[in-house]
Amino acid sequence: MMKRIRKMAMVGVLGIVMSSCASMFLTVTDKAARIQQGMTKDEVTEIMGRTPDYRRFANGHDEWEYRTLLNNDDYDVVVLDFRNGRVAQMDSFREVRHYHPDGEKK
């Protein structure tokens, strides 16, 4: 009986560790898929797991930018526009930075 309990405990611990590790490899666009219009800055920070990489203020709104560097030197980018402290708009895209030897962009 004790062996079975220990085995179940190990499986549970392994599951927690694996799920924690998996979230480390999500890009900002993966995480941003959960963001909804009207969310607060605190809700966004909780989903993204960190404060933004860049912030801009202009014309009465606050813009947050998140980036994930990918293996090929490209970036996944998410830009959030806050109005009155809530998400009003979001844009996500891949910034292609890697060039092939022939000089062409991928």
Side-chain angles (χ1 to χ4, degrees):
M1 181 70 169
M2 286 302 288
K3 284 184 179 182
R4 184 174 181 175
I5 292 172
R6 271 189 252 156
K7 186 176 180 179
M8 288 173 55
M10 289 298 290
V11 169
V13 168
L14 183 60
I16 291 169
V17 169
M18 294 298 284
S19 66
S20 297
C21 291
S23 68
M24 289 176 21
F25 298 108
L26 294 175
T27 68
V28 293
T29 52
D30 295 330
K31 293 177 182 179
R34 296 180 40 216
I35 295 174
Q36 300 293 317
Q37 194 169 28
M39 284 186 164
T40 66
K41 292 178 181 181
D42 287 339
E43 291 171 320
V44 168
T45 302
E46 185 176 326
I47 288 171
M48 299 304 283
R50 60 188 168 98
T51 57
D53 297 310
Y54 302 99
R55 292 181 66 197
R56 291 179 279 283
F57 301 98
N59 303 322
H61 65 97
D62 189 3
E63 192 174 87
W64 288 10
E65 183 174 316
Y66 289 91
R67 294 175 161 262
T68 298
L69 179 63
L70 305 172
N71 289 337
N72 58 1
D73 293 333
D74 295 346
Y75 285 92
D76 270 354
V77 181
V78 172
V79 180
L80 298 160
D81 182 23
F82 291 89
R83 308 263 171 158
N84 299 318
R86 295 191 175 269
V87 175
Q89 296 179 24
M90 179 175 74
D91 186 21
S92 62
F93 56 92
R94 171 90 26 104
E95 182 178 291
V96 179
R97 300 172 40 92
H98 184 76
Y99 292 88
H100 288 285
D102 63 4
E104 294 294 319
K105 279 189 174 182
K106 321 190 252 192

PDB file of all heavy atoms in Angstrom, residues 12-32:
ATOM      1  N   GLY A  12       2.224  12.582  -9.282  1.00  0.00           N
ATOM      2  CA  GLY A  12       1.652  13.914  -9.073  1.00  0.00           C
ATOM      3  C   GLY A  12       2.710  14.990  -9.125  1.00  0.00           C
ATOM      4  O   GLY A  12       2.544  16.026  -9.768  1.00  0.00           O
ATOM      5  N   VAL A  13       3.839  14.781  -8.457  1.00  0.00           N
ATOM      6  CA  VAL A  13       4.938  15.749  -8.457  1.00  0.00           C
ATOM      7  C   VAL A  13       5.488  15.907  -9.867  1.00  0.00           C
ATOM      8  O   VAL A  13       5.733  17.025 -10.324  1.00  0.00           O
ATOM      9  CB  VAL A  13       6.054  15.319  -7.469  1.00  0.00           C
ATOM     10  CG1 VAL A  13       7.308  16.151  -7.669  1.00  0.00           C
ATOM     11  CG2 VAL A  13       5.558  15.418  -6.044  1.00  0.00           C
ATOM     12  N   LEU A  14       5.674  14.813 -10.562  1.00  0.00           N
ATOM     13  CA  LEU A  14       6.179  14.868 -11.934  1.00  0.00           C
ATOM     14  C   LEU A  14       5.226  15.660 -12.829  1.00  0.00           C
ATOM     15  O   LEU A  14       5.659  16.470 -13.645  1.00  0.00           O
ATOM     16  CB  LEU A  14       6.370  13.457 -12.487  1.00  0.00           C
ATOM     17  CG  LEU A  14       6.972  13.353 -13.883  1.00  0.00           C
ATOM     18  CD1 LEU A  14       8.348  13.997 -13.925  1.00  0.00           C
ATOM     19  CD2 LEU A  14       7.050  11.898 -14.298  1.00  0.00           C
ATOM     20  N   GLY A  15       3.928  15.468 -12.649  1.00  0.00           N
ATOM     21  CA  GLY A  15       2.943  16.217 -13.430  1.00  0.00           C
ATOM     22  C   GLY A  15       3.033  17.707 -13.192  1.00  0.00           C
ATOM     23  O   GLY A  15       2.984  18.507 -14.120  1.00  0.00           O
ATOM     24  N   ILE A  16       3.207  18.096 -11.947  1.00  0.00           N
ATOM     25  CA  ILE A  16       3.333  19.520 -11.613  1.00  0.00           C
ATOM     26  C   ILE A  16       4.600  20.102 -12.225  1.00  0.00           C
ATOM     27  O   ILE A  16       4.585  21.176 -12.821  1.00  0.00           O
ATOM     28  CB  ILE A  16       3.313  19.719 -10.073  1.00  0.00           C
ATOM     29  CG1 ILE A  16       1.919  19.392  -9.539  1.00  0.00           C
ATOM     30  CG2 ILE A  16       3.743  21.133  -9.707  1.00  0.00           C
ATOM     31  CD1 ILE A  16       1.861  19.290  -8.025  1.00  0.00           C
ATOM     32  N   VAL A  17       5.706  19.398 -12.085  1.00  0.00           N
ATOM     33  CA  VAL A  17       6.973  19.874 -12.644  1.00  0.00           C
ATOM     34  C   VAL A  17       6.880  20.007 -14.157  1.00  0.00           C
ATOM     35  O   VAL A  17       7.305  21.013 -14.727  1.00  0.00           O
ATOM     36  CB  VAL A  17       8.129  18.928 -12.240  1.00  0.00           C
ATOM     37  CG1 VAL A  17       9.399  19.246 -13.018  1.00  0.00           C
ATOM     38  CG2 VAL A  17       8.385  19.012 -10.744  1.00  0.00           C
ATOM     39  N   MET A  18       6.323  19.014 -14.819  1.00  0.00           N
ATOM     40  CA  MET A  18       6.220  19.047 -16.276  1.00  0.00           C
ATOM     41  C   MET A  18       5.326  20.189 -16.750  1.00  0.00           C
ATOM     42  O   MET A  18       5.639  20.864 -17.714  1.00  0.00           O
ATOM     43  CB  MET A  18       5.704  17.713 -16.811  1.00  0.00           C
ATOM     44  CG  MET A  18       6.649  16.556 -16.589  1.00  0.00           C
ATOM     45  SD  MET A  18       8.217  16.774 -17.413  1.00  0.00           S
ATOM     46  CE  MET A  18       7.717  16.415 -19.084  1.00  0.00           C
ATOM     47  N   SER A  19       4.221  20.430 -16.065  1.00  0.00           N
ATOM     48  CA  SER A  19       3.333  21.518 -16.488  1.00  0.00           C
ATOM     49  C   SER A  19       3.989  22.865 -16.242  1.00  0.00           C
ATOM     50  O   SER A  19       3.810  23.794 -17.016  1.00  0.00           O
ATOM     51  CB  SER A  19       1.982  21.431 -15.785  1.00  0.00           C
ATOM     52  OG  SER A  19       2.122  21.642 -14.401  1.00  0.00           O
ATOM     53  N   SER A  20       4.784  22.998 -15.184  1.00  0.00           N
ATOM     54  CA  SER A  20       5.502  24.244 -14.915  1.00  0.00           C
ATOM     55  C   SER A  20       6.542  24.491 -15.986  1.00  0.00           C
ATOM     56  O   SER A  20       6.708  25.609 -16.462  1.00  0.00           O
ATOM     57  CB  SER A  20       6.183  24.189 -13.548  1.00  0.00           C
ATOM     58  OG  SER A  20       5.227  24.069 -12.532  1.00  0.00           O
ATOM     59  N   CYS A  21       7.263  23.450 -16.373  1.00  0.00           N
ATOM     60  CA  CYS A  21       8.289  23.587 -17.411  1.00  0.00           C
ATOM     61  C   CYS A  21       7.671  23.934 -18.752  1.00  0.00           C
ATOM     62  O   CYS A  21       8.208  24.734 -19.498  1.00  0.00           O
ATOM     63  CB  CYS A  21       9.100  22.301 -17.536  1.00  0.00           C
ATOM     64  SG  CYS A  21      10.156  21.976 -16.125  1.00  0.00           S
ATOM     65  N   ALA A  22       6.542  23.341 -19.067  1.00  0.00           N
ATOM     66  CA  ALA A  22       5.902  23.593 -20.354  1.00  0.00           C
ATOM     67  C   ALA A  22       5.531  25.061 -20.502  1.00  0.00           C
ATOM     68  O   ALA A  22       5.683  25.632 -21.574  1.00  0.00           O
ATOM     69  CB  ALA A  22       4.665  22.717 -20.510  1.00  0.00           C
ATOM     70  N   SER A  23       5.074  25.698 -19.436  1.00  0.00           N
ATOM     71  CA  SER A  23       4.686  27.106 -19.532  1.00  0.00           C
ATOM     72  C   SER A  23       5.882  28.010 -19.761  1.00  0.00           C
ATOM     73  O   SER A  23       5.742  29.106 -20.279  1.00  0.00           O
ATOM     74  CB  SER A  23       3.924  27.538 -18.278  1.00  0.00           C
ATOM     75  OG  SER A  23       4.776  27.545 -17.154  1.00  0.00           O
ATOM     76  N   MET A  24       7.089  27.537 -19.423  1.00  0.00           N
ATOM     77  CA  MET A  24       8.293  28.336 -19.664  1.00  0.00           C
ATOM     78  C   MET A  24       8.566  28.469 -21.157  1.00  0.00           C
ATOM     79  O   MET A  24       9.223  29.397 -21.590  1.00  0.00           O
ATOM     80  CB  MET A  24       9.507  27.692 -18.986  1.00  0.00           C
ATOM     81  CG  MET A  24       9.485  27.793 -17.502  1.00  0.00           C
ATOM     82  SD  MET A  24      10.835  26.945 -16.639  1.00  0.00           S
ATOM     83  CE  MET A  24      12.105  26.742 -17.825  1.00  0.00           C
ATOM     84  N   PHE A  25       8.084  27.536 -21.978  1.00  0.00           N
ATOM     85  CA  PHE A  25       8.393  27.529 -23.394  1.00  0.00           C
ATOM     86  C   PHE A  25       7.288  28.143 -24.251  1.00  0.00           C
ATOM     87  O   PHE A  25       7.401  28.149 -25.466  1.00  0.00           O
ATOM     88  CB  PHE A  25       8.703  26.102 -23.848  1.00  0.00           C
ATOM     89  CG  PHE A  25       9.899  25.538 -23.148  1.00  0.00           C
ATOM     90  CD1 PHE A  25       9.741  24.551 -22.195  1.00  0.00           C
ATOM     91  CD2 PHE A  25      11.173  26.015 -23.406  1.00  0.00           C
ATOM     92  CE1 PHE A  25      10.844  24.035 -21.532  1.00  0.00           C
ATOM     93  CE2 PHE A  25      12.279  25.513 -22.747  1.00  0.00           C
ATOM     94  CZ  PHE A  25      12.116  24.513 -21.806  1.00  0.00           C
ATOM     95  N   LEU A  26       6.247  28.670 -23.630  1.00  0.00           N
ATOM     96  CA  LEU A  26       5.197  29.349 -24.380  1.00  0.00           C
ATOM     97  C   LEU A  26       5.707  30.705 -24.839  1.00  0.00           C
ATOM     98  O   LEU A  26       6.385  31.409 -24.103  1.00  0.00           O
ATOM     99  CB  LEU A  26       3.950  29.541 -23.522  1.00  0.00           C
ATOM    100  CG  LEU A  26       3.207  28.285 -23.085  1.00  0.00           C
ATOM    101  CD1 LEU A  26       2.071  28.654 -22.149  1.00  0.00           C
ATOM    102  CD2 LEU A  26       2.692  27.518 -24.279  1.00  0.00           C
ATOM    103  N   THR A  27       5.381  31.087 -26.065  1.00  0.00           N
ATOM    104  CA  THR A  27       5.751  32.416 -26.540  1.00  0.00           C
ATOM    105  C   THR A  27       4.701  33.418 -26.058  1.00  0.00           C
ATOM    106  O   THR A  27       3.633  33.037 -25.580  1.00  0.00           O
ATOM    107  CB  THR A  27       5.826  32.467 -28.078  1.00  0.00           C
ATOM    108  OG1 THR A  27       4.527  32.318 -28.616  1.00  0.00           O
ATOM    109  CG2 THR A  27       6.777  31.412 -28.623  1.00  0.00           C
ATOM    110  N   VAL A  28       5.007  34.690 -26.217  1.00  0.00           N
ATOM    111  CA  VAL A  28       4.052  35.714 -25.791  1.00  0.00           C
ATOM    112  C   VAL A  28       2.749  35.611 -26.568  1.00  0.00           C
ATOM    113  O   VAL A  28       1.679  35.886 -26.023  1.00  0.00           O
ATOM    114  CB  VAL A  28       4.645  37.140 -25.875  1.00  0.00           C
ATOM    115  CG1 VAL A  28       5.759  37.324 -24.872  1.00  0.00           C
ATOM    116  CG2 VAL A  28       5.114  37.497 -27.266  1.00  0.00           C
ATOM    117  N   THR A  29       2.811  35.195 -27.826  1.00  0.00           N
ATOM    118  CA  THR A  29       1.565  35.065 -28.589  1.00  0.00           C
ATOM    119  C   THR A  29       0.732  33.889 -28.086  1.00  0.00           C
ATOM    120  O   THR A  29      -0.490  33.948 -28.115  1.00  0.00           O
ATOM    121  CB  THR A  29       1.816  34.929 -30.106  1.00  0.00           C
ATOM    122  OG1 THR A  29       2.750  33.888 -30.344  1.00  0.00           O
ATOM    123  CG2 THR A  29       2.357  36.216 -30.682  1.00  0.00           C
ATOM    124  N   ASP A  30       1.392  32.818 -27.614  1.00  0.00           N
ATOM    125  CA  ASP A  30       0.668  31.694 -27.012  1.00  0.00           C
ATOM    126  C   ASP A  30      -0.098  32.169 -25.775  1.00  0.00           C
ATOM    127  O   ASP A  30      -1.272  31.860 -25.593  1.00  0.00           O
ATOM    128  CB  ASP A  30       1.616  30.572 -26.597  1.00  0.00           C
ATOM    129  CG  ASP A  30       2.331  29.921 -27.761  1.00  0.00           C
ATOM    130  OD1 ASP A  30       1.760  29.877 -28.870  1.00  0.00           O
ATOM    131  OD2 ASP A  30       3.473  29.455 -27.559  1.00  0.00           O
ATOM    132  N   LYS A  31       0.574  32.920 -24.925  1.00  0.00           N
ATOM    133  CA  LYS A  31      -0.048  33.404 -23.692  1.00  0.00           C
ATOM    134  C   LYS A  31      -1.126  34.441 -23.995  1.00  0.00           C
ATOM    135  O   LYS A  31      -2.179  34.464 -23.362  1.00  0.00           O
ATOM    136  CB  LYS A  31       1.013  34.002 -22.770  1.00  0.00           C
ATOM    137  CG  LYS A  31       1.988  32.978 -22.237  1.00  0.00           C
ATOM    138  CD  LYS A  31       3.048  33.640 -21.393  1.00  0.00           C
ATOM    139  CE  LYS A  31       4.061  32.635 -20.898  1.00  0.00           C
ATOM    140  NZ  LYS A  31       5.108  33.264 -20.094  1.00  0.00           N
ATOM    141  N   ALA A  32      -0.859  35.310 -24.957  1.00  0.00           N
ATOM    142  CA  ALA A  32      -1.790  36.399 -25.272  1.00  0.00           C
ATOM    143  C   ALA A  32      -3.115  35.897 -25.821  1.00  0.00           C
ATOM    144  O   ALA A  32      -4.106  36.622 -25.811  1.00  0.00           O
ATOM    145  CB  ALA A  32      -1.151  37.371 -26.257  1.00  0.00           C
TER     146      ALA A  32
END
